């Protein structure tokens, strides 16, 4: 087993597995965030549940953090190995001849997403952890009215047009990353050619609709605060 994950095929398999897990996370993250557009109360309740339920906090969250770090570290390792292999195999970069522009640029779209995550953590995650675990004061989660402050905080973050621009740009990179990532992950997971076409279609729809949905949320709050 250990040897399998150290082999190049094993690494690709593990990379695909972590990618599917992150895609699942993204879907549920979107499902909760889109509530903020339709019902601030529902968004507050869902956020509070996710932020305080023990299984989410102490089981799913550590798995998520591991998944994100693993995906990035393995991404860099695979990129470095591919570069090494390319230099050996071809006198010059194979270029567009046998790989798409996006597949060659996964590392750059990945880096853009990493930069976004740093900003995103500073915006949302760190203040949350600070209130809950460092100050240990759950009343810090309450808003100005009778409910929680998750909704107010979210809307407040999308006032600054620079931040909204940075988020939208990151979501475009996310779409490009997912577009190639999906088909590559299906390939590594060994999808058969019969199923492949439907899966590719689903992958393309996901890669466009989810980032578009996130863009919608950011713009909606920017123009409706
Ligand atoms: C408009 C778009 C988005 C909004 C409004 C949003 C909002 C939030 C909020 C409110 C939190 C804090 C949750 C908590 O209290 O712990 C959070 C956490 C997080 N977000 Fe987003 N998010 C957006 C897009 C994204 C995207 C595109 C990604 C990934 C590429 C992402 C990745 C994460 C991660 C990894 C966390 C930490 C999860 C945790 O362990 O709590 N978010 N986001």
């Amino acid at each position: 087993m250990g040897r399998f994950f150290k082999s190049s095929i094993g690494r690709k398999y593990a990379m695909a597995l972590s990618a599917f897990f992150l895609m699942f996370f993204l879907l549920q993250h979107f499902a909760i965030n889109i509530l903020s557009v339709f019902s601030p109360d529902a968004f507050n309740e869902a956020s509070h549940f996710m932020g305080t339920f023990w299984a989410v906090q102490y089981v799913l969250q550590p798995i998520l953090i591991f998944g994100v770090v693993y995906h990035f570290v393995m991404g860099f390792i695979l990129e470095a190995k591919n570069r090494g292999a390319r230099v050996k195999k071809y006198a010059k970069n194979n270029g567009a001849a046998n790989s798409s522009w996006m597949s060659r640029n996964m590392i750059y779209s990945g880096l853009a997403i990493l930069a976004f995550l740093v900003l995103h953590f500073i915006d949302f995650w760190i203040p949350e952890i600070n209130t809950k675990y460092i100050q240990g004061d759950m009343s810090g989660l309450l808003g100005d009215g009778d409910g929680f402050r998750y909704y107010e905080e979210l809307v407040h973050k999308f006032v600054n047009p620079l931040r909204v621009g940075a988020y939208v740009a990151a979501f475009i990179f996310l779409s490009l990353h997912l577009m190639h990532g999906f088909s590559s992950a299906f390939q590594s997971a060994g999808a058969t050619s019969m199923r492949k076409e439907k899966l590719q279609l689903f992958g393309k729809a996901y890669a466009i609709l989810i980032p578009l949905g996130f863009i919608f949320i950011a713009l909606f709050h920017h123009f409706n605060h």
Side-chain angles (χ1 to χ4, degrees), residues 72-223:
F72 274 113
V73 171
M74 285 309 279
F76 281 114
I77 292 178
L78 281 172
E79 167 71 15
K81 289 206 179 277
N82 286 345
R83 268 171 198 248
R86 274 205 291 266
V87 169
K88 262 186 241 153
K89 273 190 194 142
Y90 310 102
K92 63 185 178 72
N93 194 339
N94 50 347
N98 46 13
S99 63
S100 76
W101 177 80
M102 213 40 232
S103 75
R104 278 176 283 125
N105 290 299
M106 283 303 269
I107 193 75
Y108 300 114
S109 53
L111 278 171
I113 298 168
L114 186 60
F116 159 76
L117 278 179
V118 171
L119 173 67
H120 195 48
F121 272 37
I122 294 171
D123 279 349
F124 290 106
W125 199 62
I126 293 177
E128 191 79 19
I129 296 291
N130 181 34
T131 308
K132 283 192 301 201
Y133 301 116
I134 298 173
Q135 297 178 349
D137 179 9
M138 296 305 266
S139 67
L141 300 176
L142 295 173
D144 291 338
D146 353 313
F148 296 113
R149 61 155 172 73
Y150 305 100
Y151 179 75
E152 294 163 25
E153 198 178 77
L154 182 112
V155 173
H156 178 73
K157 289 287 180 230
F158 292 110
V159 172
N160 186 338
L162 288 178
R163 185 187 278 105
V164 175
Y167 269 55
V168 169
F171 299 153
I172 294 171
F173 278 110
L174 177 66
S175 177
L176 295 172
H177 194 78
L178 286 169
M179 192 69 90
H180 175 75
F182 235 116
S183 59
S184 154
F186 283 142
Q187 204 96 29
S188 301
T192 58
S193 55
M194 241 189 6
R195 284 218 204 113
K196 225 185 249 168
E197 243 167 69
K198 273 189 191 150
L199 285 175
Q200 296 292 10
L201 199 68
F202 172 78
K204 284 209 167 73
Y206 180 104
I208 292 171
L209 293 178
I210 295 292
L212 206 61
F214 279 122
I215 290 176
F216 172 72
I217 297 171
L219 293 181
F220 178 89
H221 290 304
H222 180 66
F223 291 111

